[in-house]
Amino acid sequence: MANTILVGAQWGDEGKGKIIDVLTQDADVVVRTQGGNNAGHTVFIGEKKYVLHLIPSGILRKEKACVIGNGVVIDPIGLVEEIKGMEKLGVKINRNLFISETAHLVFPYHRELDAQREVLKGKNKIGTTKRGIGPAYGDKAARTGLRMIDLINPERFERQLKLKIKENNEILKAFGAKPLSFAKVHTAYREAGDFLKKFVTNTVVYLHNATEQNKNILFEGAQGTFLDIDHGTYPFVTSSNTTAGGACTGSGIPPHRMDLVVGVMKAYTTRVGEGPLPTENNEISDLLHGMGREFGATTGRARRCGWFDSVATRHATMVNGIDELAVTNVDGLDTVDVVRVCVGYQIGSKRYDYIPNDIDVLTQCKPVYVDFPGWKHPTDKIKSWKDMPPRAKTYLKALADLTGAKLRIVSVGPAREQTIFL
Ligand code: IMP
Ligand code: MG
């Protein structure tokens, strides 16, 4: 393996957790570089289910080192809970986790502001996970954020937090919301800081030493291309760079050290939260929800579902430089008679083969579909490409061709064994 960036090629929840777990086999170090505990990466090992929000999925293989990079925003209370929860499930977390000193912190006022701004937006709300991610990145950009390095310095932390609580209580008051108690937040955060201290380090230096030793690094993307703050369907996006470039800025590893970009996409499309989803379709939504699939790992919300959108995934190849593809959830389409793929957008006589930036235009876009006959055969027990139903092969090859990258992995279920390598 080489240094590999793994990104979501759609709107998040592409099944990255599982693919990361599979690819981690060949990695030495796994790094999260953006987002926060808005992410939910689900991995099944045997009968056990693990849901990770901040800790890289690599933690499930005990010999791997895991890094939470500088580009991540960390809710320390949430992170402590997650570490303890994983330990309860038998996952050892000790010298295998490294947390960046310069990662920014998420505070209760960020979560409260996230919620208040959504209320204010009314029907134009983003549908955030209410984890305070946007306001935390906002503070980072405004240069008023607190970082991990502050949390583990008790004196400085107390001084800085006092000011932040004072400022944010004024803002919360203006929203008509309850002010926060400095003492309560301070005590809880100091406690979390004491617990996390032993993991906090200069991860840029750590990662550079790893590259000097020719270790293989896997960069674990969270969310997906169209939730990217620059390249997504703004303003219905998250507040970080979910695309490949975010792996560099969020870790401190330069672009020329990256060898491969793997894009993960579902065999159909989903989105959770508001915002345009051109191929959204009730029939496929009902089918997948009826199978008990497509409920969010972080918020439990039902995801919106639609047909595969190759306009979107081709765009994802363009902005991420995707070399290879992992297509997941193929088994979700096993019973479908006719499988549709969007190959263009149409408004009146105008046709688009890329995602228009004007959200009002995108909202009006009607998908242009090409239909494929369904394979109507269970794929969840298939172990090799040669045993895949020919119609499924045709469909998957078409997805890769339309997306413009090489098909490398096909996933037919949540388990490690349900993975087909090409
Ligand atoms: P935020 O990241 O909580 O601010 O949410 C912004 C948008 O990104 C909302 O539409 C969320 O539903 C979506 N989002 C955030 N994290 C994830 C994720 O991990 N998977 C899928 N959607 C996400
Ligand atoms: Mg998820």
Side-chain angles (χ1 to χ4, degrees), residues 53-108:
H53 300 286
L54 275 164
I55 307 171
S57 312
I59 206 76
L60 302 175
R61 295 183 192 259
K62 64 177 185 303
E63 67 284 13
K64 312 294 177 181
C66 290
V67 175
I68 301 178
N70 56 276
V72 176
V73 288
I74 299 175
D75 177 339
I77 312 279
L79 180 54
V80 171
E81 258 171 41
E82 194 174 328
I83 292 173
K84 289 186 171 164
M86 281 295 134
E87 285 179 334
K88 263 199 199 124
L89 289 170
V91 180
K92 286 231 159 50
I93 303 181
N94 187 17
R95 305 193 93 105
N96 51 350
L97 180 66
F98 303 85
I99 303 171
S100 169
E101 295 171 334
T102 57
H104 277 252
L105 304 175
V106 181
F107 286 96

Side-chain angles (χ1 to χ4, degrees), residues 11-13 38-40 114 126-131 133-134 222-223 227 236-239 271-274 298 301:
W11 276 269
D13 304 312
N38 50 349
D114 202 354
I126 296 163
T128 74
T129 60
K130 297 203 180 79
R131 295 294 187 274
I133 306 300
Q223 290 88 40
L227 294 174
F236 300 99
V237 294
T238 191
S239 299
R271 166 167 212 164
V272 53
E274 308 305 315
T298 299
R301 290 180 289 179

Side-chain angles (χ1 to χ4, degrees), residues 13 39-41 297 303:
D13 304 312
H41 291 167
R303 297 179 187 136

